[in-house]
Amino acid sequence: MMSVWLLSLFCMDFLPFSFPEGLKFPSFDGKDRVINVNERNYKKALKNNGMMCLLYHKPLPSDKELQEQFQIREMILELTAQVLEDKDIGFGMVDSHKDAKVAKKLGLEEDGSIYVFKNERVIEFDGELSADTLVEFLLDLLEDPVQLISNPMELRAFERMEEDIRLIGYFKGEDSGYYKAFQMAAEKFQPYVKFFATFDKRVAKQLTLKMNEIDFYEPFMDEPVIVPGKPNSVEEIVDFVNQHRRPTLRKLRTEDMFETWEDDMDGIHIVAFAEEEDPDGYEFLEILKEVARDNTKNPDLSIIWIDPDEFPLLTTYWEKTFKVDLFRPQIGVVNVTDADSVWLNMPNDEDLPSAEELEDWIDDVLSGKVNTEDDDDDRNGGSSDEDDHYGD
C-alpha cells in the first residue's frame, strides 16, 4: 500500500498536463544533491550545514519492488533538497550496514526513518514521506522556535489555531531570563508543539495573562490551562508539556501521522472519520468537540479525528480495511496491531448520536465492553440489546 501511495505522488511530475507559468510543480532536474554519509564525511556534513537531513536505510535490496520503493524514497529526498537548495540544509543517506558505526554515533535507530540534526538536537520525522510534507516540516524547523504576538491581527490568527497544541507566555522582553527559558523549552518540541510569546500589555490583557505566566492550549478546548509555578524553569515547562501532550481530541496530520498512530492507549485507538467541509461531518465534529471538552480531565480518553478529504489516497484503503463508508461520519475502536475494529452503528446521517450517547459508547470502550477481540465471534459485538448499537 505504501509503495503505491508514494509512487502515485512521485509520478505526478510526469503527468501530461500543461501548467501555466507560476504554477508549475517542481520536477527533479537531474543534479545530485543528496550525499552518501559515511565515517569520512559525516562531521564535515554536520558542520557545514545549519541543519542536516538524513535518511537512514537498509542496503539496496535485490527484490525489484523493494528497489523501486528505495528509489522513490531517494527521489523524494533529492526533490526536497532541490526545492530547499538555498536554505542551508544538507541532505544525506546513511546505509545501516556499510555505515553502522556512523549510525550508532549519530543515534540513528529505525530503518527507513528520516532524522534532522539542528544544533544539538536530533528530530525524527514521523510524517507522510512526500516531498511537500517534508519541505513544510523542514521550513517549520527553520523558523524561530517562539513566535511573537504583538498586535490584534496576530492574536486573532493565534486564536484560530484550534487544531494545534499551543503555549503562550507573557514576558517583559527578549532579555528576560524567563523568556529565554521559554525559548529553550520551545526548541525541544519544535515543530510539533507551537510556542508563542508576547511582550505587549494589551495582548496579555486580552489573554488574561499575568507577567511570566504561561498558558497551555489543548486542541479544541475553549479555555487554556495555566502552567503552575510561575515563573517557570526549562525543566518545569518541558515536564508539563510531556504530561499534557496527548490531547483528548487530536487531528491526524500528514506531518506527524505515524507518531500520532504509534501513541496508542493500551493497543487501541478511538478513531473518528468526519469531513469538516461536509455539513454532517461538521455537525459530528462539533459533537466530538463537546464530548472532548466534557472529558478533558480523563487521562484514559484520546480520540483521533481523521478528515478523509486530507488523505484521498488512503480513503479507499481505510474503507476496505475497516469496512466502513467514509462518505459518512464514523467512529470506532481500532486495534493498532491487526487493524481489527468495531464501529458505532449510525443508521443514517440524520441520526447522529448526541454527545450523551457518544459518551456512553466511549465509556463502554474504555471499560472493555466494546472490544475488537470479540468482533470475530459476534459481528455486532454481542447479543444483548445494548450491544446491538455496535457494528463492525
Side-chain angles (χ1 to χ4, degrees):
M1 174 60 201
M2 185 67 74
S3 62
V4 174
W5 172 18
L6 294 177
L7 185 60
S8 298
L9 293 174
F10 172 64
C11 289
M12 286 178 66
D13 290 329
F14 302 97
L15 294 175
F17 297 145
S18 178
F19 292 99
E21 289 297 327
L23 292 178
K24 289 185 178 179
F25 287 89
S27 58
F28 182 49
D29 62 6
K31 178 181 176 182
D32 292 331
R33 296 172 177 83
V34 179
I35 65 172
N36 290 317
V37 174
N38 51 49
E39 199 159 12
R40 296 189 305 275
N41 65 9
Y42 82 93
K43 290 183 179 179
K44 182 179 179 181
L46 292 174
K47 182 180 179 181
N48 290 350
N49 297 282
M51 289 198 321
M52 192 71 193
C53 180
L54 298 179
L55 172 62
Y56 181 52
H57 65 91
K58 292 180 180 179
L60 183 65
S62 57
D63 181 83
K64 185 176 180 180
E65 183 178 349
L66 293 177
Q67 286 182 0
E68 290 176 354
Q69 292 183 25
F70 179 87
Q71 291 164 358
I72 290 169
R73 292 190 183 97
E74 185 177 14
M75 187 59 64
I76 288 170
L77 205 61
E78 284 285 5
L79 185 56
T80 302
Q82 177 183 319
V83 172
L84 299 177
E85 190 170 22
D86 62 344
K87 297 295 184 182
D88 193 24
I89 304 175
F91 291 83
M93 301 177 68
V94 179
D95 189 304
S96 62
H97 180 71
K98 293 180 181 178
D99 301 300
K101 290 183 179 179
V102 173
K104 186 176 182 180
K105 290 177 182 178
L106 296 177
L108 312 183
E109 297 178 349
E110 190 173 350
D111 285 327
S113 289
I114 288 178
Y115 295 86
V116 181
F117 291 76
K118 181 184 179 183
N119 300 328
E120 301 298 319
R121 186 180 170 214
V122 182
I123 306 105
E124 184 175 359
F125 172 68
D126 262 326
E128 173 189 272
L129 189 53
S130 63
D132 56 345
T133 302
L134 183 55
V135 166
E136 184 177 359
F137 179 85
L138 294 172
L139 288 176
D140 284 345
L141 273 174
L142 286 176
E143 293 183 355
D144 292 333
V146 179
Q147 298 181 48
L148 296 179
I149 296 178
S150 57
N151 58 58
M153 187 176 297
E154 292 172 344
L155 179 57
R156 285 195 295 273
F158 168 81
E159 291 172 338
R160 286 195 296 267
M161 299 174 64
E162 69 165 359
E163 297 175 1
D164 298 290
I165 298 176
R166 296 162 291 152
L167 288 91
I168 184 165
Y170 174 38
F171 306 99
K172 188 174 182 180
E174 292 188 7
D175 294 331
S176 165
Y178 303 122
Y179 172 66
K180 291 178 180 179
F182 189 69
Q183 281 183 307
M184 292 175 66
E187 290 173 356
K188 298 180 181 296
F189 295 101
Q190 189 187 19
Y192 294 118
V193 179
K194 310 297 184 184
F195 279 69
F196 298 85
T198 187
F199 309 138
D200 189 291
K201 290 182 180 179
R202 293 167 299 177
V203 172
K205 185 177 181 180
Q206 285 284 101
L207 294 168
T208 65
L209 276 170
K210 298 178 181 178
M211 182 63 69
N212 296 324
E213 186 174 274
I214 301 168
D215 279 357
F216 177 91
Y217 286 79
E218 184 180 336
F220 307 109
M221 297 298 154
D222 292 326
E223 299 296 331
V225 176
I226 299 174
V227 179
K230 77 172 182 75
N232 303 103
S233 65
V234 177
E235 292 75 16
E236 288 172 334
I237 299 169
V238 170
D239 288 344
F240 184 89
V241 173
N242 283 330
Q243 290 172 17
H244 294 79
R245 193 170 176 181
R246 182 192 285 127
T248 309
L249 176 63
R250 50 185 162 167
K251 185 178 183 181
L252 190 72
R253 305 178 299 182
T254 57
E255 62 265 33
D256 57 2
M257 57 188 293
F258 297 112
E259 180 187 46
T260 299
W261 195 255
E262 290 167 1
D263 183 28
D264 57 83
M265 301 284 283
D266 298 324
I268 65 168
H269 277 305
I270 297 176
V271 178
F273 288 98
E275 297 179 3
E276 190 172 17
E277 297 300 321
D278 174 75
D280 294 313
Y282 178 82
E283 181 183 350
F284 188 61
L285 181 57
E286 291 302 304
I287 296 171
L288 284 175
K289 292 178 185 179
E290 182 179 345
V291 171
R293 288 163 185 155
D294 289 343
N295 295 272
T296 184
K297 294 184 179 180
N298 184 349
D300 297 322
L301 177 59
S302 181
I303 304 170
I304 294 179
W305 163 44
I306 302 177
D307 189 334
D309 283 344
E310 298 186 10
F311 298 91
L313 296 179
L314 280 172
T315 299
T316 301
Y317 171 76
W318 281 329
E319 287 185 326
K320 290 180 179 178
T321 301
F322 300 136
K323 300 179 179 64
V324 290
D325 176 10
L326 296 187
F327 283 100
R328 300 171 49 228
Q330 305 283 354
I331 186 167
V333 54
V334 177
N335 187 308
V336 299
T337 303
D338 57 13
D340 197 8
S341 60
V342 178
W343 299 84
L344 178 63
N345 184 21
M346 294 185 284
N348 55 68
D349 296 341
E350 297 178 357
D351 191 25
L352 294 175
S354 66
E356 292 76 15
E357 290 171 332
L358 200 52
E359 285 189 37
D360 289 342
W361 179 82
I362 288 172
D363 287 341
D364 287 345
V365 171
L366 297 181
S367 68
K369 188 173 183 179
V370 177
N371 193 321
T372 60
E373 299 305 314
D374 297 334
D375 187 45
D376 296 332
D377 298 328
D378 186 338
R379 303 301 290 177
N380 286 324
S383 59
S384 70
D385 291 340
E386 289 183 352
D387 288 343
D388 285 343
H389 293 293
Y390 313 132
D392 60 351

